[in-house]
Amino acid sequence: MLQALRSTLTVIVLCAINGFTAVAQSDTFTSDLATADLERLYSGLQSADAGLFAETSQAVFDSAFAELKSKYAEAETVSSGDLHKDFQRFVALAKHGHTRIDGRNPFWDAHIEGDGLVFPLSIRFQQGEVIVAGVPSKTAAQPGDRIISLQGKPNPIWLAELTRNISAETPELAYSLLANTEPYFMLLEYGPMAQFSVELKRGSKVIKTEIDAIGFDQLSELVRMESGFQLNGREANMINKHVAYLRPGPFFNMEATKPGEYFSPESVAVFQEFVDTAFNDFIQKGAEHLILDLRDNPGGDNSFSDPVIAWFADEPFRFASDFRIKVSPETTASNQKRVNARQDGEGGISAKFAELFAKANNGDFVSFELPYAQPREGERFTGDIHVLVNRFSYSNAVSVAALIQDYGFGTVYGEPTRDMSTTYGAMEHFTLPHSGFLVGYPKAHIIRPNGIEESHPVTPDIAIPTPAVRGADDIVIRELLELLKK
C-alpha cells in the first residue's frame, strides 16, 4: 500500500473511538523501563521519520525529550496511560498526521469499562468559532451555540491543550480530527469529569452553565441528534437527465475484517465492477456532467481510486510527482516483514522497495519511480468532471482531488481540505521494547503531481460555503447544481 490509511475519521462517535486499536502492555513500568522506551522512541524517529524536524526544530524535540527523561528519573513507576499520553504528545510535536503512537490510551478502556462518564457535546469549528453541533436532551446548550470558554479557559487555551494530543500538520486538521472523538481527547486532557463548565454565546446573549457528563451508551443518541444528512457508503445515480453523481466511498474494502482484506485483489475487482457499472450507466443515459463526491472520505489506496480516474483521464497519470523514501533500519525491517509474509514467492512493491534500499545507505533519501496509470481503453466518460471536497476528505481522497486538479481532468469545488496534498506519508511502524507501543512514522515525502514541495491542502478551484453544522438538506450539492445550470 503506497499511502497509509488515516483511520481516525469515522461517521459516528462510537466507531470513531472504538476505531483506535487497543494496546496491550503492563499497567505500570519502572523508571528505567520508561526511560529506555523514551530513548528508543526518539532514536527510532530520528533514524526513520522522513520529516521529523521539517516543521519543528530539533532543539524543541531535545528540550521535550530532556524534560520527559527528568520526569521519569524522579518517578519510581510510570503508568501505561501516562506513558502513552507522554509519548503521543512528544511525537505530535512533529506536526505530521502519520507520526503518532497508534492505539487507544489505556486510560480510555479502563474508564469506559468502569462505566465512566464522558464529555457530552459534539463540536465543530468554522472561521475561528467553536460551534455546538449536538447536545444531549434537557441540556442548557443548544445546537448552533458558540462556545466562548471551557473550564474557565478561553478557546485558544483549551483548544491548544486538547490538540497537543493529536498528530496533525495544522490546527485546522487537528480540529477536523477532533470531530466525533471529543470524549476521548477530553478524557486524556482533563481526566474523569462529572460536569463541564461552559460559557456560551447565543446571538448577543452570553450564557454560563454547567453541563453534566453522559454515559458512553448515550453517545449514539447524541450523534443521531446532530448528524444531519449523511455521506456514508457508495452511491451512483443520475441527479437529473444531464448530471450524474458518484460517491465512491472509502478507497478500500469497507467489509474487511482482517488487515489483508482491505486492499486485496478480490476487493479491488468488486469495487471496479461497481465503478464500471456506474460509468456505463452514466454514458448510456447521456450524462454531460459528473459530480465526484469525495467529502467525508477517509481515503485508502490508489489501487481503488485509479480505476475511477481512468474512466475520464485523457493522459497517463500518477498520484505524486515524486515519492522520496528515507532509508533506515526501521523501514527496511518493516518492509521485509511484508516481503516474507507473501505466499507467492514474490514481494510485489515491497520487493521493489527492498531492492532500492539495498543499494542505498541508511539516512539516504531515494526516489521510488511510481508507475503511471493509464486511461481506460475503449469507451470513456467525456463529460465534465466536478469534484467535491471538504474538511473531512483525507489521505488518498485528497490525493485524488489534487491529481484531478493538477492534470486538468476536472474542477474541484467545496471548502479547502484540512489534510495535505503534498505530505509526509507512506506510514511504517516500529515497536517499543518494554511498553509494546506501536510507533507510526512516515517513511516518505510525497510530492503532489504539480511538484509543489511545501505541505499544503487542496484549495478548491471554486469555493462553495460549507456550514459547520449540517441540516437535513445538502446545500453544497444544491449550490453546485445551480452553478452547473449557469
Side-chain angles (χ1 to χ4, degrees):
M1 183 174 67
L2 293 180
Q3 292 189 300
L5 170 65
R6 178 166 293 169
S7 60
T8 307
L9 174 70
T10 179
V11 178
I12 64 173
V13 174
L14 273 67
C15 289
I17 295 170
N18 287 329
F20 296 121
T21 306
V23 292
Q25 67 283 306
S26 302
D27 291 333
T28 60
F29 302 93
T30 65
S31 171
D32 289 343
L33 294 181
T35 300
D37 267 12
L38 172 65
E39 292 173 342
R40 174 63 186 123
L41 171 64
Y42 194 23
S43 65
L45 289 177
Q46 290 184 79
S47 169
D49 195 300
L52 186 63
F53 303 129
E55 300 295 332
T56 303
S57 69
Q58 184 171 352
V60 171
F61 268 100
D62 288 348
S63 177
F65 174 77
E67 185 177 339
L68 286 177
K69 197 169 183 179
S70 176
K71 172 184 174 180
Y72 298 153
E74 296 174 1
E76 291 185 5
T77 60
V78 182
S79 72
S80 60
D82 281 333
L83 197 66
H84 190 283
K85 181 167 62 175
D86 287 346
F87 287 180
Q88 172 55 34
R89 288 177 179 173
F90 180 77
V91 301
L93 291 173
K95 298 182 181 178
H96 299 314
H98 293 96
T99 304
R100 65 185 188 228
I101 305 298
D102 275 355
R104 292 193 300 267
N105 188 297
F107 282 153
W108 174 261
D109 289 336
H111 185 73
I112 297 306
E113 289 169 3
D115 296 324
L117 302 176
V118 299
F119 183 70
L121 302 180
S122 174
I123 55 181
R124 297 293 182 268
F125 305 87
Q126 188 88 323
Q127 298 178 340
E129 293 188 311
V130 184
I131 305 170
V132 176
V135 297
S137 57
K138 300 179 181 179
T139 302
Q142 297 178 6
D145 287 348
R146 270 55 177 170
I147 296 177
I148 300 174
S149 69
L150 179 70
Q151 298 302 102
K153 300 176 181 179
N155 290 349
I157 302 300
W158 69 265
L159 284 174
E161 291 176 343
L162 211 62
T163 56
R164 65 177 173 165
N165 300 289
I166 301 175
S167 295
E169 281 78 355
T170 63
E172 290 75 17
L173 177 54
Y175 299 154
S176 73
L177 293 172
L178 183 60
N180 294 341
T181 57
E182 301 95 331
Y184 176 79
F185 290 108
M186 286 288 183
L187 178 69
L188 288 192
E189 187 59 36
Y190 301 121
M193 301 280 292
Q195 284 186 325
F196 292 86
S197 299
V198 183
E199 188 175 7
L200 305 166
K201 189 172 184 180
R202 185 179 303 155
S204 60
K205 184 179 180 181
V206 175
I207 303 169
K208 294 184 178 180
T209 185
E210 300 285 331
I211 299 179
D212 292 335
I214 60 176
F216 182 72
D217 58 352
Q218 294 177 266
L219 289 178
S220 58
E221 175 191 356
L222 179 63
V223 171
R224 285 193 297 271
M225 293 174 63
E226 66 90 12
S227 57
F229 71 88
Q230 297 291 318
L231 293 167
N232 304 334
R234 315 192 195 282
E235 183 178 335
N237 57 54
M238 294 293 296
I239 294 180
N240 57 47
K241 65 179 182 180
H242 301 293
V243 181
Y245 175 85
L246 175 63
R247 185 171 68 244
F251 294 114
F252 57 85
N253 178 10
M254 296 188 296
E255 285 73 45
T257 58
K258 300 176 183 178
E261 297 175 350
Y262 282 98
F263 307 103
S264 67
E266 295 78 12
S267 64
V268 172
V270 170
F271 177 77
Q272 183 153 2
E273 182 178 0
F274 160 74
V275 171
D276 292 349
T277 299
F279 275 101
N280 280 319
D281 184 59
F282 298 156
I283 293 171
Q284 181 180 356
K285 292 179 179 177
E288 299 171 4
H289 301 273
L290 170 67
I291 296 175
L292 179 61
D293 197 343
L294 302 181
R295 295 174 298 168
D296 290 17
N297 191 317
D301 190 72
N302 64 303
S303 60
F304 276 71
S305 57
D306 283 353
V308 177
I309 300 170
W311 266 98
F312 51 80
D314 55 14
E315 64 176 294
F317 60 90
R318 57 184 183 178
F319 68 84
S321 60
D322 200 358
F323 194 83
R324 303 171 188 165
I325 305 173
K326 184 179 183 181
V327 180
S328 68
E330 290 79 8
T331 294
T332 298
S334 182
N335 185 72
Q336 190 61 41
K337 288 181 181 178
R338 290 191 294 274
V339 175
N340 296 341
R342 290 181 66 96
Q343 299 178 356
D344 57 8
E346 300 292 337
I349 195 168
S350 295
K352 295 179 181 178
F353 283 158
E355 294 174 5
L356 192 63
F357 300 162
K359 300 175 183 177
N361 297 317
N362 289 325
D364 289 348
F365 278 83
V366 293
S367 288
F368 179 75
E369 186 66 25
L370 295 172
Y372 281 90
Q374 299 298 318
R376 174 183 168 83
E377 294 183 2
E379 191 171 34
R380 293 185 296 112
F381 183 81
T382 58
D384 294 332
I385 306 299
H386 311 276
V387 182
L388 274 175
V389 295
N390 68 357
R391 68 192 64 189
F392 301 124
S393 302
Y394 292 120
S395 187
N396 190 52
V398 174
S399 295
V400 170
L403 189 160
I404 292 172
Q405 188 177 58
D406 292 353
Y407 279 91
F409 294 157
T411 305
V412 179
Y413 303 77
E415 64 178 346
T417 64
R418 303 315 192 246
D419 206 354
M420 304 291 115
S421 51
T422 287
T423 188
Y424 291 94
M427 193 162 72
E428 297 282 7
H429 295 86
F430 62 88
T431 303
L432 300 182
H434 304 294
S435 64
F437 294 157
L438 196 62
V439 182
Y441 66 90
K443 68 170 177 280
H445 194 193
I446 305 172
I447 313 299
R448 68 180 286 176
N450 66 10
I452 295 179
E453 297 192 6
E454 295 77 18
S455 294
H456 61 288
V458 168
T459 301
D461 300 299
I462 300 176
I464 297 180
T466 303
V469 181
R470 292 177 182 171
D473 296 328
D474 188 348
I475 64 175
V476 174
I477 283 283
R478 187 191 311 162
E479 176 64 22
L480 177 53
L481 290 174
E482 287 298 318
L483 289 173
L484 297 185
K485 286 181 182 178
K486 300 175 182 178

